[in-house]
Amino acid sequence: MREVADSGFTLKADLVLLAMGFLGPQRAGLLESAAVALDGRGNVQADTEGYATSVPRVFAAGDMRRGQSLVVWAIREGRQCARAVDEFLMGTSTLPR
Protein backbone atom coordinates (compact mmCIF):
# COMPACT_ATOMS: atom_id res chain seq x y z
CA MET A 1 0.00 0.00 0.00
CA ARG A 2 1.09 3.52 -0.63
CA GLU A 3 -0.40 6.96 -0.14
CA VAL A 4 -2.02 8.55 -3.18
CA ALA A 5 -1.12 12.23 -3.50
CA ASP A 6 -3.96 14.71 -2.82
CA SER A 7 -6.40 11.94 -1.88
CA GLY A 8 -6.80 12.83 1.81
CA PHE A 9 -10.11 13.85 3.30
CA THR A 10 -11.71 14.13 6.75
CA LEU A 11 -14.91 12.51 7.96
CA LYS A 12 -16.46 13.06 11.39
CA ALA A 13 -16.80 9.67 13.12
CA ASP A 14 -17.20 8.20 16.59
CA LEU A 15 -15.58 4.91 15.55
CA VAL A 16 -13.44 3.89 12.59
CA LEU A 17 -12.79 0.24 11.71
CA LEU A 18 -10.17 -0.58 9.12
CA ALA A 19 -10.66 -3.73 7.03
CA MET A 20 -7.37 -4.02 5.17
CA GLY A 21 -7.14 -7.71 4.44
CA PHE A 22 -3.91 -9.63 4.42
CA LEU A 23 -1.50 -6.97 5.69
CA GLY A 24 -1.40 -8.11 9.31
CA PRO A 25 -2.04 -5.80 12.24
CA GLN A 26 -0.32 -2.44 12.03
CA ARG A 27 1.66 -2.21 15.24
CA ALA A 28 2.66 1.44 15.11
CA GLY A 29 0.00 3.64 16.64
CA LEU A 30 -2.94 2.11 18.50
CA LEU A 31 -1.50 -1.35 19.25
CA GLU A 32 1.82 0.01 20.51
CA SER A 33 0.28 2.86 22.50
CA ALA A 34 -2.25 0.51 24.10
CA ALA A 35 0.50 -2.08 24.72
CA VAL A 36 -1.68 -4.91 23.41
CA ALA A 37 0.04 -8.31 23.68
CA LEU A 38 0.87 -10.05 20.40
CA ASP A 39 1.13 -13.76 19.73
CA GLY A 40 4.15 -15.54 18.24
CA ARG A 41 3.06 -14.66 14.70
CA GLY A 42 2.62 -10.95 15.46
CA ASN A 43 -1.18 -11.01 15.62
CA VAL A 44 -3.17 -9.53 18.49
CA GLN A 45 -3.42 -12.09 21.28
CA ALA A 46 -7.08 -12.64 22.23
CA ASP A 47 -9.09 -15.61 23.45
CA THR A 48 -11.84 -17.18 21.33
CA GLU A 49 -14.54 -17.09 24.00
CA GLY A 50 -14.68 -13.40 24.87
CA TYR A 51 -12.24 -12.10 22.23
CA ALA A 52 -10.63 -10.05 25.00
CA THR A 53 -7.04 -8.89 24.56
CA SER A 54 -4.45 -8.30 27.26
CA VAL A 55 -5.85 -4.77 27.67
CA PRO A 56 -9.17 -4.39 29.52
CA ARG A 57 -12.09 -3.31 27.28
CA VAL A 58 -10.11 -3.97 24.08
CA PHE A 59 -11.32 -6.82 21.84
CA ALA A 60 -9.93 -8.36 18.65
CA ALA A 61 -11.27 -10.80 16.04
CA GLY A 62 -10.76 -11.92 12.46
CA ASP A 63 -7.47 -11.26 10.70
CA MET A 64 -6.31 -9.07 13.59
CA ARG A 65 -6.48 -12.07 15.92
CA ARG A 66 -6.01 -15.17 13.76
CA GLY A 67 -3.95 -13.76 10.90
CA GLN A 68 -4.79 -13.88 7.24
CA SER A 69 -7.54 -16.33 6.51
CA LEU A 70 -10.78 -16.78 4.64
CA VAL A 71 -13.35 -14.01 4.86
CA VAL A 72 -15.87 -16.47 6.31
CA TRP A 73 -13.67 -16.82 9.41
CA ALA A 74 -13.55 -13.05 9.80
CA ILE A 75 -17.36 -12.87 9.50
CA ARG A 76 -17.82 -15.66 12.05
CA GLU A 77 -15.36 -14.14 14.51
CA GLY A 78 -16.86 -10.68 14.01
CA ARG A 79 -20.30 -12.01 14.98
CA GLN A 80 -18.91 -13.90 17.97
CA CYS A 81 -16.89 -10.89 19.08
CA ALA A 82 -19.97 -8.66 18.79
CA ARG A 83 -21.81 -11.05 21.13
CA ALA A 84 -18.86 -11.05 23.57
CA VAL A 85 -18.77 -7.23 23.60
CA ASP A 86 -22.56 -7.11 24.08
CA GLU A 87 -22.24 -9.49 27.06
CA PHE A 88 -19.37 -7.40 28.45
CA LEU A 89 -21.36 -4.17 28.21
CA MET A 90 -24.85 -5.43 29.04
CA GLY A 91 -24.14 -8.51 31.20
CA THR A 92 -26.07 -10.74 28.79
CA SER A 93 -26.71 -11.03 25.07
CA THR A 94 -29.39 -12.35 22.75
CA LEU A 95 -27.07 -12.23 19.74
CA PRO A 96 -26.33 -15.63 18.17
CA ARG A 97 -22.98 -17.28 18.91
Side-chain angles (χ1 to χ4, degrees):
M1 295 183 73
R2 61 183 167 81
E3 186 175 344
V4 175
D6 300 319
S7 66
F9 59 94
T10 302
L11 296 173
K12 184 177 179 181
D14 292 326
L15 174 67
V16 176
L17 301 173
L18 302 176
M20 300 175 69
F22 293 84
L23 300 174
Q26 182 174 347
R27 289 163 192 85
L30 180 63
L31 294 181
E32 282 182 354
S33 66
V36 174
L38 304 176
D39 67 15
R41 297 181 304 158
N43 299 316
V44 174
Q45 188 175 336
D47 66 81
T48 56
E49 278 296 312
Y51 292 89
T53 68
S54 61
V55 177
R57 300 183 313 239
V58 175
F59 301 84
D63 288 2
M64 179 74 74
R65 189 199 66 78
R66 78 182 292 129
Q68 64 187 35
S69 188
L70 301 173
V71 69
V72 294
W73 281 110
I75 293 168
R76 178 177 184 258
E77 286 203 0
R79 291 173 59 104
Q80 290 177 331
C81 184
R83 179 186 171 95
V85 171
D86 191 32
E87 288 177 346
F88 175 82
L89 294 173
M90 304 303 293
T92 186
S93 180
T94 58
L95 295 174
R97 172 117 178 105

